[in-house]
Each structure stands twice: as C-alpha cells, then as structure tokens.
Amino acid sequence: MKVIETLRRELEPLNREIAEALRPSREALLSFVANQLYIVPHDLKALSAAMAKAGERDEYRFVKTLIDGDFAALEALRELAEELGVEFRWESVDPAAVAYTHFLSWLAMHGTVGDLAVAMTVNLPVWGRNCAALAEWARRNGVKNTKFMEMFAGPYDELEALAEPIAERYLDWGRYRFVARAIQRYELEFWRAVSGGPGEGPPGA
C-alpha cells in the first residue's frame, strides 16, 4: 500500500472530527478570515524556506506547486477580507487557530521534503472539503468573493502523484505518522477555534 494512502486511512477518525468541527456562521466566517490573514502569509514564507531542502527535480516541482497555490490564495483572501470588512489585527489572531502555520514553519526548518510531502497531501484534501462547505454556506448568505475557499476544493491528484515518490524516498514510518497526526490535530484546532459557538452545524447535517 502506498505511503500517503496508508497514512490517510489511519487518520480517518481524526479527519471525521475535522469535518464535524466546522459550524458555519457569520462569526465563524469572520474569524476564519481574520486568522487566515495571519496564516497564509506565514505559510507562504515557510514554503519558500522549504524550497532550500529540495534536491531532486520532483521535489522542486512539488514545493513550487505549493508556493504558487498559496501565492494565488493570498490575493483571493484579500478580496474576501475586503468584502467582509476584515483587516489584519493582532488581537484577532487566535493562537489555537494558527498553530498549523507554526508547525509548517517547523517542518520547513527541521523536516525533510518527505515530511512536507506527507503533511501537505494528508492535509490539503481535508482542509479543502471544509473550505468548500464554508464557501457553500457563504454563497447562500450573500458572500460574493468565495474564491479563496473554493480554490482549495481540489482535486489534488497531481500533487499527490508528485508527493508519493518523495515520501517513499525519505521513508520513516514513525516520523511520518507523527507529522501526519500533528498537522491534522492542528487542522482540527483551527476549525474548533474559528467555529466557536454552535453555528448551524455542518452543511447537510
């Protein structure tokens, strides 16, 4: 069984918790944007630093794909923030919500490209599903600039095709299981932090 597929199966219970943690509301959307204004620029800088770890052609392509995605996302996020009247404010940053980006910085400094490949490919589809659900709620409630959330909906087949051989190249099951579990725990904390109150519950629930 492939590395990414194996880890994803092991994470199924945690990934269900992440899906259930999203409770859409106006307050949740505003908190989502306020914290993403901190997260996305720091993710972009962490990924740029991670490029220094790349050595093989597929590793450069993998990291460059991530950087390009976050660069485009930053502009879309600014458009959403402008529509909602959200500006970056330090007092709006929830430490629990932004722990994810701090872990990504740790990976960039102390991890291998294999660690990054594992972290991103187990995380992004799960993050993307919640973003798509939040975008659906936002559109129903009159928000126009939902591109930031929609662009993470996937598919991630091409990224995963790049990631799998990289993960196999640096294979370390104990380390990979820690990295995968950690990044998904931080993902869960993000959604719990921004959702706060009861909201409406997951769409379709």
Side-chain angles (χ1 to χ4, degrees):
M1 188 179 294
K2 294 181 178 180
V3 174
I4 305 299
E5 182 181 349
T6 299
L7 294 169
R8 189 171 285 141
R9 287 191 178 186
E10 293 176 1
L11 289 166
E12 284 177 0
L14 181 53
N15 289 342
R16 283 194 295 271
E17 286 189 67
I18 293 169
E20 293 165 1
L22 169 60
R23 306 192 69 83
S25 68
R26 175 77 177 180
E27 292 73 20
L29 180 60
L30 294 176
S31 180
F32 172 90
V33 173
N35 283 284
Q36 286 298 316
L37 286 171
Y38 175 94
I39 291 169
V40 177
H42 287 88
D43 280 359
L44 186 55
K45 292 171 185 177
L47 292 170
S48 298
M51 182 64 86
K53 300 288 182 76
E56 302 293 334
R57 181 177 296 179
D58 58 351
E59 296 172 6
Y60 283 104
R61 284 186 60 201
F62 178 76
V63 181
K64 179 66 161 49
T65 299
L66 295 171
I67 291 171
D68 288 347
D70 263 12
F71 185 81
L74 183 58
E75 184 58 34
L77 174 62
R78 287 170 173 160
E79 292 173 0
L80 174 59
E82 183 176 354
E83 178 182 349
L84 297 175
V86 178
E87 296 181 356
F88 176 78
R89 298 168 63 90
W90 284 106
E91 54 267 36
S92 299
V93 178
D94 186 326
V98 302
Y100 173 102
T101 195
H102 299 159
F103 184 64
L104 187 58
S105 294
W106 182 88
L107 285 174
M109 291 295 294
H110 303 290
T112 67
V113 186
D115 294 335
L116 186 66
V118 163
M120 293 294 94
T121 48
V122 300
N123 175 257
L124 284 172
V126 178
W127 153 255
R129 284 193 289 273
N130 272 19
C131 281
L134 185 58
E136 179 185 346
W137 181 92
R139 287 192 302 271
R140 290 202 316 266
N141 286 272
V143 178
K144 295 181 174 60
N145 290 298
T146 56
K147 180 181 177 181
F148 173 75
M149 295 171 281
E150 292 162 354
M151 66 190 300
F152 288 108
Y156 288 99
D157 297 349
E158 183 177 346
L159 189 71
E160 188 164 332
L162 284 171
E164 180 63 30
I166 297 171
E168 292 174 4
R169 186 176 301 143
Y170 295 89
L171 186 61
D172 183 332
W173 280 111
R175 187 178 177 92
Y176 282 178
R177 285 188 168 102
F178 164 74
V179 166
R181 186 173 67 252
I183 202 159
Q184 293 308 85
R185 286 294 305 181
Y186 293 133
E187 184 71 29
L188 176 60
E189 291 308 311
F190 171 80
W191 290 106
R192 284 177 171 171
V194 302
S195 291
E200 292 187 1

